Amino acid sequence: MSSNKRIYLSSPHMSGLEQDFVNHAFETNWIAPVGDNIEGFESDLENFLNNKAYAIALNSGTSAIHLALLLLGITKGDEVLCQSFTFVASVNPVIYAGAAPVFVDSEAETWNMSPELLEEAIQNRIENHKKPKAIIAVHLYGMPYKVDEINTVAKKYDIPVIEDAAEALGSFYKGEPCGIFGDFSVFSFNGNKIITTSAGGALMVKNLDEKSNAIFLSSQAKEESEHYEHSKIGFNYRMSNVLAGIGRGQMKVLKDRVEARRNNFVFYKTELSKLKNITFLEESSNSLSNRWLSCIVLESFEERECIRLALEAENIESRPLWKPMHLQPVFKHCLSFTNGISEDLFRRGLCLPSGSNLSQEDLKKVVNVILKLVD
Ligand SMILES: *Cc1c(COP(=O)(O)O)cnc(C)c1O
């Protein structure tokens, strides 16, 4: 039964172009968190964002969020408003900084932070003399959040926004690329993301002062001098020049990767929408999603599990939507502003195999397992 090889949710997809850049690092002996590939990868990212932000290549998306919080001066006792419906990496850095996350639930249209609940949360915290120091909003599964509405609320109360675009490289809002909408923005190049450096991330900032500050903090806060002078605590967060080489090769095929993932979504929707009990996350006229993961929502938890287990029996990986952070044991002491939406999506939603390297045969196999169940 060797033909039954596992179909993964989202696996790395090399183009072959990465190897030349990695070889270049070896040939020049820049096997370090310094070198040409880092600068090359950063300028590839900046070009992709139409030079509307500066990039700092880092060892993970998590580090990028942590650095953004540090650059905003967030510290012990501060509160940070966090989208509850997300992967835990959006929130852990708030704890690293000694601050407290305050969770905000989602709206139904994009599954991302509800602007109304955000404002309610801000007003509540201000009444309690704890004005939040930052907002972390997430383009979940590649679907842009309501950028105008979130930014309007943020401006009204003068609170900076960290845009978690870890899942949204190649997504657009009103024709502009995700990654330029926050005071700071974050990408991840972890192995499961739309492009990968095996592990890695980037922080996007708005001016060169912030960029040099971020490089300083991410490379052990070494001040100018022969002996290494330190008056601040730094971090070892810079990306390796070897891995940045992988990133340069991956940037050359980013558009193809987005197209392939969007085609996966169209295939699933076309094949499955004859089933009345399945719904999809739709784009609005403002948004273009990279469709990092294709998600479906069933009518009940039981239906969702039935599909998930049937896929697993055929060696096909699928996964429930993210469990909201306000329901996670580790954050049970944290404040939250909820409306039931993310909890409901968590119960009924499922991510289907979504890699850009899935074959037509793989996709058909997934769909057939589901169609057979619902017949
Ligand atoms: C992957 C991810 C991150 C963290 O990225 P790493 O590179 O894995 O540290 C942050 N936020 C979201 C929403 C993610 O999906």
Side-chain angles (χ1 to χ4, degrees):
M1 302 297 277
S2 59
S3 68
N4 197 23
K5 84 170 168 21
R6 188 159 176 78
I7 298 178
Y8 291 101
L9 198 68
S10 179
S11 69
H13 186 183
M14 293 297 107
S15 65
L17 303 167
E18 298 81 10
Q19 198 71 55
D20 284 345
F21 293 107
V22 171
N23 288 346
H24 172 76
F26 276 71
E27 282 152 15
T28 55
N29 202 34
W30 284 106
I31 314 293
V34 212
D36 286 357
N37 282 338
I38 294 177
E39 281 155 37
F41 184 42
E42 288 174 346
S43 74
D44 291 346
L45 287 168
E46 289 165 1
N47 288 334
F48 186 78
L49 300 187
N50 304 321
N51 294 300
K52 290 187 173 165
Y54 295 95
I56 302 100
L58 300 169
N59 61 2
S60 75
T62 309
S63 307
I65 297 174
H66 189 199
L67 271 186
L69 293 166
L70 295 169
L71 290 168
L72 286 169
I74 285 162
T75 183
K76 201 160 173 242
D78 289 343
E79 288 188 1
V80 175
L81 294 160
C82 297
Q83 182 163 322
S84 182
F85 196 35
T86 187
F87 177 53
V88 71
S90 304
V91 179
N92 279 338
V94 174
I95 307 292
Y96 307 162
V102 173
F103 295 115
V104 179
D105 213 327
S106 293
E107 34 81 10
E109 278 167 61
T110 75
W111 297 0
N112 294 311
M113 187 180 272
S114 156
E116 287 78 27
L117 264 190
L118 173 66
E119 181 155 22
E120 193 182 313
I122 294 172
Q123 287 173 349
N124 173 290
R125 299 323 294 147
I126 289 175
E127 278 162 27
N128 286 278
H129 311 288
K130 291 292 287 181
K131 183 176 168 188
K133 294 287 166 67
I135 297 163
I136 303 179
V138 187
H139 305 298
L140 208 64
Y141 301 116
M143 183 62 72
Y145 59 75
K146 294 189 169 178
V147 173
D148 284 349
E149 289 86 343
I150 294 287
N151 282 350
T152 300
V153 175
K155 267 216 188 73
K156 180 170 168 190
Y157 296 93
D158 193 25
I159 303 174
V161 175
I162 299 172
E163 175 191 14
D164 182 346
E167 301 176 359
L169 180 62
S171 296
F172 291 80
Y173 177 83
K174 291 191 170 171
E176 301 266 22
C178 289
I180 64 168
F181 299 122
D183 295 273
F184 295 94
S185 305
V186 168
F187 291 122
S188 167
F189 312 109
N190 193 21
N192 62 345
K193 296 305 198 300
I194 190 148
I195 63 165
T196 182
T197 59
S198 78
L203 176 64
M204 310 304 301
V205 302
K206 290 296 180 335
N207 61 58
L208 285 172
D209 276 350
E210 287 166 348
K211 176 160 177 167
S212 67
N213 224 342
I215 291 174
F216 171 75
L217 287 176
S218 62
S219 39
Q220 307 285 25
K222 294 184 287 235
E223 284 156 32
E224 286 296 337
S225 83
E226 277 90 69
H227 60 265
Y228 290 159
E229 183 84 0
H230 301 281
S231 46
K232 274 198 173 142
I233 295 295
F235 298 83
N236 188 3
Y237 278 176
R238 214 50 175 127
M239 181 179 277
S240 152
N241 191 52
V242 179
L243 301 190
I246 304 178
R248 289 178 87 177
Q250 289 271 282
M251 280 305 284
K252 293 195 181 294
V253 292
L254 174 58
K255 289 203 170 108
D256 302 336
R257 299 299 183 254
V258 173
E259 195 184 312
R261 291 203 186 230
R262 286 179 59 81
N263 287 341
N264 290 342
F265 177 81
V266 170
F267 181 84
Y268 285 134
K269 199 181 156 197
T270 310
E271 296 297 314
L272 296 175
S273 60
K274 48 189 121 162
L275 307 173
K276 278 192 286 306
N277 55 345
I278 296 188
T279 54
F280 298 84
L281 174 59
E282 302 288 354
E283 293 172 331
S284 75
S285 56
N286 285 336
S287 60
L288 186 140
S289 169
N290 66 6
R291 296 293 183 188
W292 173 56
L293 295 185
S294 288
C295 308
I296 54 175
V297 179
L298 288 306
E299 269 172 357
S300 66
F301 169 76
E302 290 72 22
E303 264 182 33
R304 196 284 304 283
E305 276 304 274
C306 178
I307 292 179
R308 188 179 68 79
L309 295 170
L311 290 169
E312 192 52 52
E314 294 295 325
N315 208 17
I316 299 169
E317 184 184 22
S318 66
R319 191 179 301 147
L321 301 186
W322 300 123
K323 180 172 182 175
M325 293 303 118
H326 72 271
L327 299 177
Q328 296 287 0
V330 71
F331 296 126
K332 64 172 186 287
H333 59 285
C334 298
L335 214 57
S336 60
F337 292 81
T338 59
N339 55 18
I341 288 182
S342 64
E343 188 166 351
D344 179 48
L345 287 167
F346 168 60
R347 286 178 53 76
R348 299 191 287 127
L350 190 68
C351 305
L352 297 177
S354 302
S356 48
N357 49 4
L358 292 174
S359 66
Q360 206 60 24
E361 216 170 293
D362 293 335
L363 290 166
K364 280 196 186 125
K365 193 172 163 191
V366 174
V367 158
N368 285 338
V369 171
I370 299 173
L371 290 176
K372 219 189 284 168
L373 277 179
V374 190
D375 258 359

